[in-house]
C-alpha cells in the first residue's frame, strides 16, 4: 500500500527526453525489436505538439523521482460516432516494478484524460499469449470478440 | 468473370449522400444496430472534408449504375513509425451481390490508396465468429495474434 | 434439394476397407500429413471391434454408390458426468462434393448415434483458421471458450 | 524452495474418499457449479477400477499430510495413432497454496505416468480467459490452433 502511494502519474514534458528514450528502449526489448532512435524522438515531439492528438504520461516513483513506467494514447475518428475514440497504444512498467498497481494507475490516467476530453471510448490490444497483461486487462476492461487482421508483407502489427 | 468486370470502385462524392445513407442502413442491420441519421450524414461530410483523414469509396454496378458496396478507411498516427497507418473501418457488400469479388475489390482499392499516400500499413478487425468475412481476409491479409480490449461500460466496440 | 436426397449416411462395414483407405488418404492431404497405411487400417478394424468404443460412417452417393465423405467418433469417460461423452474426431467430404449439406448430414448421424447410446454430449475441434468448416459448425453446434494445449515435443495435436 | 520440497504427488488410493470429496467441492466452486455427490464418488471409484483407464493423483503437503491439490487424467483412442492419448482432465490447487509450483508438479506427474504407459501425448483445455492457468501452461505445454465446439443444448462443455 505504501508502495502504491509512492507512484504518481503525470504527462510527459519537455525535459523528459532522455528518460523517455531510456524507457522506450526497455519497452522495445519486450517485443524483441529495435528501431532507430529518431522514431521514439520524433514520437516524443508529437506528444508535446498541440496539433497532434497523441499523448504520453510517465509513472514516477516519488522516492527516486525517476520514471518507472509509461503509457501512450492517441485520438482518431470513427465512422460510428462523432467524437472518435482513444487508442491506448503502449503500456510499459519496468520489470522489477510490476505487480504493484502501476499499470492500473497508468490506464486509469488515460481513462481520466479521455473523460476530460469527452471521448470516453478507450481501447487497446495485446498479444493473445500475453497472459500477465491480460490479468490486469480483465479487471479494468472488457475483451471484445474482435480479431485483428493486417495487410501482409508490411511487417508485424504495431 | 463478366460479373466481376461490371463492378468499379470509386471514391464517395458530394452527390452520393442519399445512396450513402441507404447503404449505411443496410450495413447497420448486419450488426443489429441503429443510430440516428445524423451520425452517418456527418461522417459522410468528413469523407469529403480535406482536413479530416477519413475516406470512403463505393462499389458501383456499372450496369445499373448503383452502389452495391462500400468501404471506409482513416489514417492515424502510431508511436512505432512516423507515417502512421490506415485503419480499414467498414466493409459492406449487399447480401445478394456477394461471392463475386466485390469485397476483395474494395479492399484492394484501400491498399492502392494507402500506397499512393505512402502509408502502406493497413489493418482492420472483424468478429471472430464472422467466418464468411474471414474467408476473404485470409486471402488478402494476415491474422495477427492480437486481442482487442475496450473500456467497459461504454457500449460495444465499433 | 435432389442432390441432398441422393446422399445417405451409413456405418462403416467390413467390405469398406479399400474405400476407407482411399478416403483417408484424401483426408490426410487437407492436413498436409502422411502416415503409414497400417494406422488407418488398424483404426478401421477398431471401428468394427465391439470392444472398442470408436466408430465411423460413410456418406454414400446413392447414384454412384460410392463414398464421398466420412465421419469418425469415439466415446470416453469424463470426471464431470457418469455417461462420458462423444468426441467427433474426423469429418471429411470430398472437395467437389461440398456445400451440398453432406457435412451436416454426417454430423447429424453422430448426433443420432449419440442419442441412441444415451450419451448426447458431442464435441469436436477444428483449426481456428478453418473458416469454411466453422460456417457449418456455428449452425449445428456452439463454440466454447476453451483453448487447447498439448505437451510439447510430441508432434501436433491430432 | 523448501516449500516446494514439502509437496509430494501420489496416486489416489482407497482411503482418500473423504479428502477427494472435499477437494472436488472446492474445485467446483471455481466453475460456479454444483453436482450431486454421487458423481465425484463414482468417478473416484473409476480411478481405482483397473478396468477403467481414468486416474487421479493428490498433491500432499508433507508437513500437514493433507492434500492441497489434485489432477485427473484419462486415456482414449484416436484415429491418428494406435496408442491413443492422455487427456489431462482436471487440475486444481487450493487457492492459498498457489504460485509455489504445485500445479506444475501435478502436470509433471501426469507426463511421467504417460511416459510409463508409452502414451506420451498429453493434452488439456482451459477457458481462454483463465490467464492465471495459462501462465503455467505456456511453460509446460504448447497452445494449439484448435477451437472447441460442442453440441448445443446439452449444458456447457466439461
Amino acid at each position: 500500500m505504501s508502495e502504491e502511494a509512492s507512484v504518481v502519474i503525470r504527462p510527459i514534458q519537455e525535459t523528459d527526453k532522455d528518460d523517455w528514450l531510456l524507457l522506450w528502449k526497455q519497452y522495445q526489448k519486450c517485443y524483441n525489436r529495435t528501431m532507430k532512435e529518431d522514431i521514439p524522438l520524433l514520437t516524443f515531439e508529437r506528444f508535446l505538439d498541440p496539433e497532434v492528438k497523441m499523448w504520453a504520461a510517465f509513472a514516477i516513483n516519488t522516492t527516486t523521482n525517476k520514471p518507472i513506467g509509461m503509457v501512450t494514447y492517441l485520438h482518431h475518428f470513427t465512422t460510428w460516432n462523432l467524437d472518435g475514440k482513444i487508442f491506448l497504444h503502449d503500456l510499459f512498467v519496468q520489470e522489477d516494478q510490476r505487480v504493484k498497481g502501476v499499470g492500473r494507475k497508468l490506464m486509469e490516467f488515460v481513462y481520466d484524460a479521455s473523460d476530460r476530453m469527452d471521448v470516453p471510448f478507450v481501447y487497446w490490444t495485446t498479444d493473445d499469449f500475453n497472459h500477465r497483461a491480460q490479468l490486469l486487462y480483465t479487471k479494468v476492461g472488457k475483451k471484445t470478440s474482435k480479431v485483428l487482421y493486417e495487410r501482409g508483407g508490411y511487417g508485424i502489427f504495431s
Side-chain angles (χ1 to χ4, degrees), chain A residues 25 31 42 56 60 69 87 90 101 107 115 121 124 128 139:
Chain A
K25 278 177 189 165
Y31 289 97
L42 282 162
I60 303 287
F87 175 44
D90 306 290
M107 298 202 72
D115 284 341
F121 275 73
W124 63 96
D128 66 356
K139 287 172 197 152

Side-chain angles (χ1 to χ4, degrees), chain A residues 69-88:
Chain A
M70 63 165 194
V71 68
T72 73
Y73 52 109
L74 58 91
H75 173 272
H76 69 74
F77 283 117
T78 90
T79 58
W80 285 79
N81 72 55
L82 299 177
D83 299 322
K85 48 191 176 182
I86 301 297
F87 175 44
L88 195 159

Side-chain angles (χ1 to χ4, degrees), chain A residues 123-140:
Chain A
Y123 75 102
W124 63 96
T125 69
T126 196
D127 289 309
D128 66 356
F129 51 80
N130 189 344
H131 298 293
R132 200 162 294 284
Q134 292 180 76
L135 280 176
L136 169 60
Y137 297 159
T138 56
K139 287 172 197 152
V140 299

Side-chain angles (χ1 to χ4, degrees), chain A residues 15-122:
Chain A
T15 50
D16 290 329
K17 195 177 276 191
D18 293 344
D19 284 338
W20 164 255
L21 210 58
L22 204 70
L23 226 53
W24 188 267
K25 278 177 189 165
Q26 296 170 14
Y27 175 54
Q28 281 181 85
K29 271 195 192 161
C30 304
Y31 289 97
N32 290 317
R33 290 220 253 166
T34 48
M35 52 176 70
K36 280 183 290 179
E37 275 196 16
D38 64 332
I39 295 177
L41 282 179
L42 282 162
T43 291
F44 179 80
E45 283 176 25
R46 279 180 179 159
F47 297 142
L48 300 168
D49 183 344
E51 300 294 306
V52 182
K53 292 187 166 187
M54 193 155 105
W55 308 273
F58 268 164
I60 303 287
N61 180 323
T62 55
T63 311
T64 63
N65 216 24
K66 276 289 173 196
I68 57 170
M70 63 165 194
V71 68
T72 73
Y73 52 109
L74 58 91
H75 173 272
H76 69 74
F77 283 117
T78 90
T79 58
W80 285 79
N81 72 55
L82 299 177
D83 299 322
K85 48 191 176 182
I86 301 297
F87 175 44
L88 195 159
H89 202 334
D90 306 290
L91 181 73
F92 175 66
V93 177
Q94 287 177 333
E95 185 119 15
D96 57 353
Q97 304 292 325
R98 289 178 192 169
V99 202
K100 290 179 189 174
V102 182
R104 179 193 281 260
K105 283 192 173 190
L106 285 162
M107 298 202 72
E108 285 169 355
F109 180 89
V110 177
Y111 283 4
D112 289 344
S114 303
D115 284 341
R116 280 194 305 273
M117 287 188 270
D118 280 325
V119 188
F121 275 73
V122 180

